[in-house]
Each structure stands twice: as C-alpha cells, then as structure tokens.
Amino acid sequence: MRIRTLRTSTVLALLVAAFPGETRAAPAFTAFESGQVRPIALSPDGTRLFAVNTPDNRLEIYAVTARGLRHVESVPVGLEPVAVAARNSDEVWVVNHLSDSVSIVDVSGLNAEVERTLLVGDEPRDIVFAGPGKSRAFITAAHRGQNTGFDPQNTTPGVGRADVWVFNANNLGSALGGQPMTRINLFSDVPRALAVSPDGDTVYAASFMSGNQTTVVGPHQITNDGEQAGGIPGPNVNHAGVPEANVGLIVKWDGEHWVDELGRPWDDHIKFNLPDRDVFVIDAGPGVPQLKPGGAGTGFFTGVGTVLFNMVVNPSSGRVYVTNTEARNEVRFEGPGEFAATTVRGHMVDTQISVLGDGGTATRQLNKHINYADCCAERPNEENELSVSQPNGMAITADGSTLYVAVLGNDKVVVYDTEALEDDSFYPDAGDQIAVSGGGPTGVVLDEQRDRLYVLTRFDNGISIIDTDTREETGHVTMHNPEPPSLVQGRRFLYDASYTSSHGDSACATCHIFGDNDQLAWDLGDPDLDVVDPPNILKMTLNPAEVPFHPMKGPMTTQSLRGMANHGAMHWRGDRNGEGQGANVQPDGGAYSEVAAFKAFNVAFEGLLGRDEPLTEAEMDAFTEFVLQVAYPPNPHRALDNSLTPSQQAGHDFFTTRLTFAVDFRCVDCHVLDPNGNAQYGVDQPGFFGSDGQLVGGEFSQTFKVPHLRNIYTKIGMFGMAHDPQIHDTTFVGYDPSHQGDQVRGFGITHDGTIDSVQRFMGAFSAGPLNGPDGFHLRQEQLDVAEFLFAFDTNLKPIVGQQITLRPNNSAVVGPRIDLLMDRADAGECELIAKASVLGVEFGAVYTGNGQFTTSLTAVGTRTDAQLRQLATVLHNPVTYTCVPPGSGFRLGVDRDGDGHRDADELLHASDPADPTDTP
C-alpha cells in the first residue's frame, strides 16, 4: 500500500506542472532495413492484435472490434523488432534483431510493460512456443554475439553457424539475460524462420540463405586458353573479339559431381561437401529439446530453396510450407544474350513454396504463367499482374485447406488451395490475389472468427484488414513512423518487382535480400558490352598497372547495399563510378561520388531485372537517397566495451604495423582503417573501414577496388580449397589442401568467393621466396589477424542496441551491465535511454552524462542514476535501459515524434506523443 501511495502522490504532484515546448534539431534516424519475420500476431482469445513497429522500436497493441482495429497501447521494446508471439493472453514475446534480445511484455493489466529482457545470440529473427503446454520458447539467432558465453570457433571447419535458443518460459533463471535450457546448433549458415506442429511436439527451424549447392573453381585452377582447352565455357571473347580475363567458374553439385554448364566435372578442384540442409526438425517434447535423429526427411530437409523466408505447418496434414526462392546463379551473364547463348535477364530466381512431408521435399513454382523466353514487355501487362516475388509470411485455415501468403514484392496476398498446391495443379488466377494498400506486405494472421486477415505492410508501416469472404481490403491503419520521408519514398525501388521488372518477379531485393546480400556468387558479365577504362583513383603502393574493365568479369559474390556512403565507387571492381563527372577528390568528387556510382546501376533494371526501360531520373534519385542511408549493424565479435581480446589485439598490431609484402606495405596501407575518414568534410557517415575508395591494378588478373571489411565475419563457413599457386606457400605451417568434409557455405572471401577463409588468404603474404623476410612467419599470426578482422570496426560501436531490464530483485546481476551502458555512453559510443511504466504512464529518460538523466516529464526534469534505478528497486516498476545510435537518444527516450513536447507530458495532457500535429 505504501508503494502505491508513493507512486500516486509522485505522479499527482507532477500533473500540476506547466511545461513549455522545446525547439530541437530534427532527430537522427539510423536505417538498418532489418527483415521482418513474424511481425504480427493475434492473442489466443482473439481480442487483441500485436504488431512490431520496426522503425520505431515498439510493440503496437490493437483491440480487435467489430468495426476493425482500435489502437490501445504502444510499448517500447528493443531496437529493430522483427517478430512477435503471444505466449498466452497475458504475455507477449518480441524478438529484437539489432539488440540481440527478446522483450517479454506483460499485457495482463491495464497497461502493458516490458517485465524482462532475455539476451541471445547475434541478430535473432524468429520465435515460437512449443513443448509441454507450449511452455518453451524457441528463438533463432546467428552462432555468434557478445551475450552467448561461447567461442564461435570462427577458424574451425565444420561448425554450424546457426543456433536455436530454448528457454523454459516458466523458469527463466536468474542469469543476466536469462538461463536457456539448451542451445541447439544447426549445421547451416544463419537461421531465420521457425514453425511448430499443432501438438507442439515438433519445431521446424530453417536456414535463411541456405545456398543451392553451388560453389566456384578458382581462376588459377583453370587454363586461360578457353573452352577447347578445358577452360571456361565459351564464349571466351566479347562481341568485339577481346579475350576475357582469367576468371573463375561457378559449378553446381548434381548429386554425383561438381559440374559446369557443359556438364563437365570439376570434382578435383572442390575440397569440401555441401550437404544443403535447409530445414531442421527439433523434438520439443519432454526432456531437453534436441534435433531429431535421422537423415533427409526425418532429421532435416534438403532441396527446399536458396533463400528461405517463412514457414507454416498445415494443422490437418502436418505438412510444412516454406516460402522461398531458388537462385539460378549457375547460369552465366546478364544483358540481352545476343552474343552469348545464356543470360539471367528477367529470370534470376524461381519463386517457390516448398512442401515438406513424409515424402521429403516437393517444390512448387508460383509463377507458372511467366514465359521466360520472352523478355521484356512494356508494363503494365497481364503477365506482370499475376506474378509473385519475395513471398514472406503465411497463415492457414484451421482445417488446413486454404493458405494465405503475404507477397512483399507485389503488394498482394495470394490465396492457395493447399490440395492444389501440394499436387501442383494450381495456376495463377487474379481471383486468388488480393491487393494490399500500403505496400510491401511481410506478415499475415488469420482471424477466422471474424473472417478477416490482418496484413502488416512495411512500405507505409501499416496494417491492412482483409475480408476473407469478399477477398477485399476493408480497412487500413498506420503506425507512427519516425523514418525520414526519403527512406519511405525510396524503399519501394528495392523491393517492388511489379514496378521494377517486366515479368513482375524480379527486384533488386531478389538478390540483395532486405538490402543485404544472398551469400552467393553470380557471373553477371555481358559479352555484348565493350571494354572500358577504370577510373583514375588507383592506389599506387601495390600494383600501378591498371587492367581495363572487360565486360566478362567472371563470378562475383553479391555485395551488400549497406554502408555504401563514404566508400566511393561501387561493385567489386569499382566499375560503377562517377568518373568524368568532376575531379576525382574526396569526399564526393568524380569517381569518389557514391551518388553518381549508385545511379550508374540504373542500367541493371533493363539488363538484369528485365524491365522495359530504366527508372526515371527522379525515381533513381529517390532510390539512391534511400540506399545510401542504410547502415551496417555493430560488430558482434567485438567486446561490448570496445576492447580487443589478446588475439584480436595481436592481429590489430600486425595489421597496422608489420610489413607484409615485397613492396614494403602493411595490411592497413591498402585496407585503410580510419573511423573518422572524411569527417573533416562533414559527411553524414564518416569512416573508412578497410577501404578509402581507391583501386588496385592487376590483382587477381583484374583491376579491383580495395574492399571494406565490415562484414567479413558473415563469410565464415567455407573451409577447403585446392592448391592455388598465387596464395599458397606449400612450406608454410598450416598449409592444407586436403578435403575438409561437410561445410555450410559454398562461397568464401575475395571477389569471387574462391578463397575459403581469411587465414588462407594470408598465405599470399607469408615470409619466404616471394616476400623475403616480410609477412607472416607463424600460423598463430595468421589466426590473430583473422580474429581481428572478424572484430573489425563498423560505423557503430558494439554497444549500440544492447539493453537490459532492471527489476526489483535483480539489481546485483543487472547493475554492472547498466554501469557498462553508462560508461559507453560517456565515451560517446551510444546514447542511453531508459523506459518504464509508472501508474499506466510511459516514463522515459535519456542519459546526459555525469550520472544524470533528462526525463520525459518536464516537471521532473533531471534525475540521477540512483533515483532512476529506484523506480525498479523501490517502486517495483521494471526499467529497461537501451544503448541507441548516437543522435537518436532524445527522440527514442523522451520525445518520440520530435514535436518539442515530451512524451509523458503529452500523455498526461491527453495529446498523442506519436503525432507531431497533436500537442498539449
């Protein structure tokens, strides 16, 4: 009683205070473009709808009424929430992709609040409840991260790079981030979707970018004398007769051999296996959950697809449906295909739903109506209007007869009869396709009681209501979106296949999945084009001899669209650039202009996606402004206090000080590491993280841009490589060309993915006959540098996104973590916010240094760290602390809509803190 009296008197005292509006600069927004997985959920009793507000870092709660949806509450969670699941009618769990956390939200009272924060592996994506009484939470995450407590074994072959964390929801333990009952390692690259059987006994876990059993033979293992001599399949010259450079070759496992497009085997050149395990089966029943024993069809499923988006289980038959795409990267070239016989123009992937059951895997092509032999008709056209691209979330009727699929790339929900889907007798029909306003649907839930679908639309951050009887949209609501208009307006050009391709099934996001990549290599040369000169931005320290850009460039791994600002020319070779558009000077002149470089990609809409015409100048401007804002996440291998381990520090010292080549240069002389690069010019995203935009001539037979190193840790998982005379010193300790067995990836590092690991690449820089006394002398030196590169700086420090919840009984465990968050905020690495619910009012604070917090109640003003902690320890209000990107603390902590009126002030005076036009 005394606690409640204290609370009430405190809040009432604050209500009498007047407060002025504040004038502040526009709040900063950091764009990550995280892919939503399970963004919407219905409460078990059907009375409430829960939706993740990804850009605003919140859970939105709606009352489900006869008239539609009524917004009830908004709960701050972690950064970039991508999935939500209702454990029961009283508790909702939210997966926070950037925070590496799960927010447990109590929705049982008059006001919802985060009651606990669980910490898991890097970039968690999905959650389901299964096991006895569905009391166990299963969460997918990458096999890495600062909160895992294990060694990810980055330099060890044959380690799965995916985990499923399992928590007993009834007994979360007293550890800092909760105590998982087990962690199940999956032999795949990073995971994404989960699904659970109707009885809760079986959980299905899917790899995200699972590959398609393709890899690459290195250029130095292939004769450069053309097809007739056993080399690269023809043509071996472009239309003008200029011979191609020495390049690699993509090969595919056909069940018996690694073969090229001519059917020729290359087994001797591939030193690993790709078992292609796509979906794993977990026994969630009594005891400790574990993978089910057995091979394909029992313990796992193969041949499901290349990029797996979402899964759902048929409640009647138990079959599993998987939305996915299957890449055609074994097919060479883009462009019209006039000089060569092959091209992927207008047909880069097959869009599928795979059916998993007792008989194994059956794939169903969703675009049966497309005539891929005929490209590229003027839009709009009838073929385009029926197409499906990037199918995401699904919902299924209780009797298992009807499947609803949210189609991100075509602004629609498609309805499938499951019997026709399974026996492959369906055919695309306009009557089975429901247009969704708002655009970019990612998730869908079915409300059979009211004959409705609720569809989350990412483009406008909204929710559409669809009548399942009439198959028409009957309502639409939008959530508060703090993104700048340039992000909202430009996003469509990344995903919208109906607008950016004539067939309607291809978009930039077909390969640049959610703005990132697909972990594959493609040979997207064009023999119908001419040889051109590279831009004049050559780094002279290594090889001053430029090699002209041949249009038949060979295999190149898909590069991310993240973090391109301040990094100059684009593509592996830097062949997309602004050469000739002004002087080549930093930060944005000529060939260093990222704007000019990205606009040079406009030709890909016709030459690769198969559009009938390029985007207009205004459209390309919007796309460019959008994409240059997308950032890399913090590095998950670097300690939260931004320190280096002894091995990482030794690698850093070698990287920055030791001479490594005969021409006397250090690693850092090419791979520039300067977190303040170009800051003196006032650029929005300063820093050089492995590249300052310059090129090197003649390396790997072509001119290449020096690549950045921010995402090299995502390429771990391919081990095994045949002898390459360019990089292998056979006398060096650690040299091993033997077969390495099963691996999870078919592509490694460097432009074409031929080199399996960072430490293997360092073989080119070993002390010996080529380099003299310089370079690597010991195997441990290579391993140290590898560990440093895996912990390489990004634009954001590792503390960004991290969070924890202080509760009445956990201050001894949580207190040191709060201290760490404050220390890193004091160091300028993040801005620290705190959130709580006090007497039903959302209370926020932003840390301003020296142990002081500015609160969302003007009358309260500044409070000390100790006073803020007492909200939890004395007043029993859980307080969640989160380190957010620099510049966003005031918005996320105390002024959500940036209108100059603090959030709690607005709530107490009946104005909307999520509407800048509604003020006290």
Side-chain angles (χ1 to χ4, degrees):
M1 181 65 68
R2 181 173 182 272
I3 291 175
R4 183 167 182 83
T5 301
L6 284 172
R7 290 176 178 173
T8 305
S9 60
T10 299
V11 173
L12 289 176
L14 299 175
L15 284 174
V16 302
F19 55 93
E22 296 174 284
T23 302
R24 297 181 63 91
F29 186 91
T30 302
F32 296 102
E33 205 59 20
S34 303
Q36 296 173 333
V37 183
R38 187 183 303 270
I40 193 166
L42 200 61
S43 64
D45 60 11
T47 62
R48 286 172 292 182
L49 185 73
F50 307 103
V52 297
N53 186 339
T54 302
D56 204 26
N57 310 305
R58 286 176 176 262
L59 173 71
E60 307 292 351
I61 304 175
Y62 294 85
V64 180
T65 71
R67 300 181 61 181
L69 297 176
R70 177 174 54 83
H71 188 257
V72 174
E73 199 166 359
S74 181
V75 184
V77 287
L79 300 192
E80 300 287 295
V82 295
V84 57
R87 179 188 168 206
N88 50 46
S89 293
D90 294 333
E91 191 174 279
V92 176
W93 293 37
V94 180
V95 176
N96 305 304
H97 188 63
L98 195 86
S99 288
D100 300 347
S101 69
V102 177
S103 299
I104 301 178
V105 183
D106 181 355
V107 296
S108 63
L110 293 177
N111 296 95
E113 64 179 349
V114 174
E115 63 178 7
R116 186 159 186 179
T117 297
L118 303 181
L119 304 180
V120 293
D122 185 43
E123 297 187 330
R125 286 187 166 91
D126 202 6
I127 179 171
V128 295
F129 292 98
K134 294 195 173 181
S135 61
R136 295 170 177 175
F138 294 73
I139 301 154
T140 52
H143 185 73
R144 57 185 184 237
Q146 295 95 336
N147 297 308
T148 62
F150 62 74
D151 176 5
Q153 299 178 283
N154 292 327
T155 58
T156 303
V159 175
R161 299 295 157 187
D163 291 327
V164 177
W165 292 62
V166 186
F167 289 88
N168 180 348
N170 295 320
N171 183 14
L172 295 172
S174 59
L176 175 68
Q179 183 61 54
M181 60 184 303
T182 189
R183 179 182 49 80
I184 302 170
N185 184 246
L186 309 179
F187 195 72
S188 75
D189 211 342
V190 297
R192 179 174 157 93
L194 292 164
V196 59
S197 61
D199 60 11
D201 289 343
T202 303
V203 170
Y204 300 91
S207 175
F208 184 12
M209 301 173 195
S210 67
N212 59 351
Q213 294 186 297
T214 57
T215 187
V216 63
V217 179
H220 303 110
Q221 300 170 36
I222 306 172
T223 177
N224 200 30
D225 295 328
E227 178 183 329
Q228 296 306 313
I232 301 293
N236 302 122
V237 298
N238 74 335
H239 75 100
V242 180
E244 64 186 343
N246 186 18
V247 298
L249 175 65
I250 293 176
V251 294
K252 189 177 180 73
W253 181 251
D254 69 356
E256 296 182 356
H257 300 284
W258 294 102
V259 298
D260 62 21
E261 63 189 63
L262 301 177
R264 300 178 303 179
W266 294 84
D267 297 1
D268 291 344
H269 300 275
I270 308 301
K271 298 298 182 178
F272 56 87
N273 305 320
L274 285 178
D276 192 40
R277 296 172 186 169
D278 296 330
V279 175
F280 298 81
V281 186
I282 298 172
D283 184 351
V288 178
Q290 59 186 335
L291 289 172
K292 286 192 175 182
T298 304
F300 56 85
F301 291 88
T302 64
V304 178
T306 306
V307 176
L308 280 52
F309 289 108
N310 285 75
M311 298 191 294
V312 71
V313 179
N314 188 311
S316 176
S317 68
R319 294 185 179 91
V320 183
Y321 306 121
V322 187
T323 50
N324 67 91
T325 57
E326 178 74 355
R328 302 179 68 245
N329 62 315
E330 75 276 12
V331 179
R332 289 190 302 158
F333 305 137
E334 64 178 357
E338 295 176 0
F339 186 73
T342 62
T343 179
V344 295
R345 182 180 70 160
H347 190 191
M348 298 182 296
V349 303
D350 288 318
T351 304
Q352 308 178 151
I353 291 178
S354 296
V355 183
L356 316 183
D358 293 339
T361 303
T363 58
R364 300 294 179 247
Q365 306 297 330
L366 302 184
N367 291 316
K368 297 179 179 181
H369 65 292
I370 294 180
N371 177 13
Y372 286 111
D374 184 14
C375 186
C376 306
E378 183 178 351
R379 297 162 303 99
N381 59 70
E382 292 182 1
E383 182 183 75
N384 179 297
E385 291 172 357
L386 290 177
S387 295
V388 169
S389 170
Q390 307 151 72
N392 270 234
M394 291 173 283
I396 192 167
T397 54
D399 64 4
S401 64
T402 305
L403 180 69
Y404 300 94
V405 181
V407 181
L408 171 61
N410 304 81
D411 296 351
K412 65 178 73 169
V413 170
V414 181
V415 187
Y416 294 97
D417 178 277
T418 57
E419 183 178 352
L421 180 69
E422 292 181 13
D423 65 24
D424 206 19
S425 62
F426 74 95
Y427 195 82
D429 187 294
D432 296 326
Q433 301 189 354
I434 308 168
V436 179
S437 70
T442 56
V444 56
V445 294
L446 175 62
D447 183 353
E448 286 193 272
Q449 178 183 346
R450 300 174 180 83
D451 298 320
R452 290 178 185 167
L453 296 174
Y454 306 108
V455 184
L456 195 142
T457 51
R458 180 65 183 91
F459 291 173
D460 75 337
N461 206 36
I463 302 170
S464 289
I465 305 170
I466 293 174
D467 186 314
T468 56
D469 292 330
T470 64
R471 296 189 175 182
E472 293 181 346
E473 182 175 316
T474 60
H476 189 82
V477 298
T478 56
M479 299 176 280
H480 174 63
N481 190 353
E483 294 176 319
S486 56
L487 278 175
V488 177
Q489 294 162 7
R491 178 171 286 115
R492 177 175 292 278
F493 300 109
L494 174 63
Y495 298 101
D496 191 345
S498 62
Y499 191 76
T500 60
S501 66
S502 291
H503 289 319
D505 71 329
S506 299
C508 295
T510 299
C511 296
H512 297 285
I513 314 298
F514 299 112
D516 198 12
N517 59 42
D518 57 8
Q519 303 296 348
L520 298 174
W522 298 73
D523 189 340
L524 298 180
D526 184 353
D528 291 298
L529 298 180
D530 295 312
V531 176
V532 298
D533 290 328
N536 186 25
I537 50 173
L538 195 67
K539 186 180 290 287
M540 303 301 290
T541 55
L542 179 59
N543 187 340
E546 284 188 321
V547 177
F549 290 147
H550 195 287
M552 299 162 67
K553 57 189 177 182
M556 304 271 177
T557 57
T558 306
Q559 293 184 291
S560 178
L561 299 183
R562 298 171 171 177
M564 295 193 297
N566 201 48
H567 277 67
M570 298 176 187
H571 264 174
W572 279 103
R573 301 190 301 182
D575 50 27
R576 294 285 187 258
N577 57 73
E579 179 81 353
Q581 301 180 43
N584 294 338
V585 294
Q586 289 279 18
D588 299 310
Y592 289 110
S593 169
E594 295 84 21
V595 171
F598 192 75
K599 287 183 179 180
F601 280 103
N602 202 352
V603 297
F605 287 96
E606 291 178 286
L608 180 57
L609 301 188
R611 197 173 192 262
D612 57 305
E613 60 183 356
L615 297 184
T616 66
E617 183 176 355
E619 290 168 340
M620 201 64 198
D621 285 344
F623 190 16
T624 301
E625 190 172 1
F626 160 77
V627 83
L628 290 181
Q629 295 179 69
V630 181
Y632 273 106
N635 189 301
H637 292 290
R638 202 174 182 109
L640 294 180
D641 65 1
N642 203 29
S643 65
L644 298 176
T645 66
S647 177
Q648 292 166 353
Q649 185 64 55
H652 168 274
D653 295 344
F654 189 107
F655 187 90
T656 57
T657 64
R658 286 276 293 274
L659 298 178
T660 54
F661 209 44
V663 293
D664 287 346
F665 73 94
R666 305 162 301 166
C667 300
V668 75
D669 290 328
C670 269
H671 294 284
V672 176
L673 176 55
D674 179 5
N676 296 311
N678 282 339
Q680 69 270 32
Y681 301 109
V683 298
D684 290 336
Q685 299 182 48
F688 299 139
F689 303 98
S691 177
D692 62 358
Q694 290 187 294
L695 278 56
V696 291
E699 189 175 16
F700 302 107
S701 78
Q702 301 188 66
T703 295
F704 283 97
K705 177 185 173 183
V706 179
H708 76 89
L709 301 173
R710 287 168 292 182
N711 68 340
I712 199 166
Y713 66 86
T714 67
K715 300 175 184 291
I716 299 169
M718 170 181 161
F719 292 87
M721 181 180 176
H723 177 73
D724 186 326
Q726 184 175 20
I727 68 167
H728 283 161
D729 180 353
T730 59
T731 66
F732 193 82
V733 176
Y735 169 71
D736 184 4
S738 66
H739 197 282
Q740 296 295 304
D742 290 351
Q743 302 299 324
V744 300
R745 290 174 54 88
F747 300 94
I749 65 169
T750 67
H751 67 283
D752 55 8
T754 57
I755 298 179
D756 62 338
S757 63
V758 172
Q759 54 271 31
R760 180 92 65 174
F761 176 77
M762 296 171 194
F765 304 95
S766 300
L770 176 61
N771 299 327
D774 297 328
F776 294 94
H777 290 257
L778 303 171
R779 176 66 169 171
Q780 188 59 48
E781 292 173 331
Q782 294 183 337
L783 296 175
D784 289 342
V785 173
E787 292 296 346
F788 168 63
L789 295 182
F790 297 145
F792 212 74
D793 268 328
T794 75
N795 300 74
L796 295 170
K797 300 303 181 184
I799 199 66
V800 171
Q802 295 297 313
Q803 62 172 180
I804 200 66
T805 299
L806 178 65
R807 299 180 295 131
N809 58 355
N810 71 347
S811 60
V813 176
V814 170
R817 177 55 64 96
I818 298 173
D819 294 340
L820 173 65
L821 300 180
M822 293 177 63
D823 287 344
R824 304 331 297 165
D826 282 332
E829 295 179 357
C830 70
E831 294 182 4
L832 179 61
I833 66 170
K835 290 287 186 177
S837 178
V838 180
L839 282 182
V841 177
E842 180 186 314
F843 178 85
V846 59
Y847 181 57
T848 54
N850 298 315
Q852 303 291 310
F853 286 81
T854 294
T855 72
S856 59
L857 276 166
T858 305
V860 172
T862 299
R863 283 294 179 263
T864 66
D865 169 37
Q867 289 172 323
L868 195 61
R869 297 193 197 201
Q870 286 174 353
L871 276 178
T873 59
V874 177
L875 298 181
H876 290 238
N877 296 288
V879 182
T880 300
Y881 294 77
T882 307
C883 261
V884 301
S888 61
F890 197 85
R891 171 177 61 83
L892 291 174
V894 300
D895 187 6
R896 181 182 179 191
D897 57 10
D899 62 359
H901 295 270
R902 300 187 192 180
D903 295 339
D905 291 338
E906 293 206 56
L907 288 169
L908 292 174
H909 288 74
S911 63
D912 186 353
D915 182 356
T917 67
D918 183 9
T919 60

